[in-house]
Amino acid sequence: MSEETHFATAYSFSIDASQACAVLRIGRRTFRVQVADFSWAGFTVAVPKKWARRFKAGSSGTLSHQGTKHPISVLGVAPSSDGNVHVSLARQDGNPLPHPTCYGPSKAAPRSVNQGDPVLTVASGLCILLLVLAMPGWGDAWGTSYYFTDGLNSIGRAMYQMWRSLGIR
């Protein structure tokens, strides 16, 4: 069964005008289009008549509609009664690609920590330095352990006063 026959036999659903706005990207060109209807096999979009020659059958691209990107290919162009042109688009696969919500590395994938990790090395070195400065023997000789104990005592007092002000015993 050919792709055109699949597209013609698919059940199609009309789209409300408030949700019909979409962005069609074919090659380097981006078009703001109105989705007329859709089905499991593809979409039909309405474009102005002057754009009709820009849609060649067989060209592929993406249709961004309602928060998802659909890989599509152009099946054909047909005139409509309202003066626009309807372009038939076929989905290249059944799973739409979600829009990226942010740019950069994904936060969902856990970061693997190994001994070659530079952050682990720097964090370990900083912890060792702070421990040496807080040690009673060397820290007292250098005068740094007093500052560490004073800082920890002031943090403890602040936490105690916060719990007391909340009425928690």
Side-chain angles (χ1 to χ4, degrees):
M1 192 177 240
S2 71
E3 193 172 32
E4 287 85 8
T5 309
H6 264 274
F7 191 73
T9 60
Y11 293 103
S12 62
F13 302 96
S14 296
I15 302 233
D16 188 27
S18 64
Q19 297 177 350
C21 295
V23 176
L24 177 61
R25 183 172 182 90
I26 297 179
R28 293 183 189 170
R29 295 184 183 232
T30 303
F31 306 98
R32 295 210 177 267
V33 297
Q34 297 290 320
V35 177
D37 60 354
F38 71 98
S39 68
W40 61 269
F43 297 89
T44 302
V45 296
V47 298
K49 199 175 214 179
K50 63 182 177 180
W51 292 355
R53 60 181 171 79
R54 296 184 181 174
F55 299 102
K56 306 279 188 233
S59 58
S60 61
T62 58
L63 179 72
S64 300
H65 181 247
Q66 294 182 347
T68 56
K69 284 186 178 180
H70 302 275
I72 53 93
S73 62
V74 177
L75 290 179
V77 178
S80 67
S81 61
D82 61 356
N84 289 332
V85 174
H86 284 177
V87 180
S88 297
L89 307 171
R91 292 185 189 189
Q92 290 180 347
D93 66 339
N95 299 327
L97 305 172
H99 279 295
T101 56
C102 66
Y103 296 98
S106 173
K107 304 294 185 210
R111 191 163 177 231
S112 63
V113 178
N114 56 22
Q115 291 187 346
D117 193 6
V119 176
L120 180 64
T121 306
V122 171
S124 300
L126 185 62
C127 286
I128 290 171
L129 177 68
L130 290 175
L131 287 173
V132 167
L133 290 175
M135 286 177 60
W138 289 344
D140 284 337
W142 294 333
T144 55
S145 66
Y146 168 75
Y147 295 113
F148 281 99
T149 56
D150 187 40
L152 288 175
N153 285 336
S154 65
I155 290 172
R157 272 187 254 120
M159 294 293 283
Y160 177 73
Q161 289 174 355
M162 180 184 70
W163 287 106
R164 291 284 302 223
S165 67
L166 294 174
I168 301 172
R169 291 193 183 260

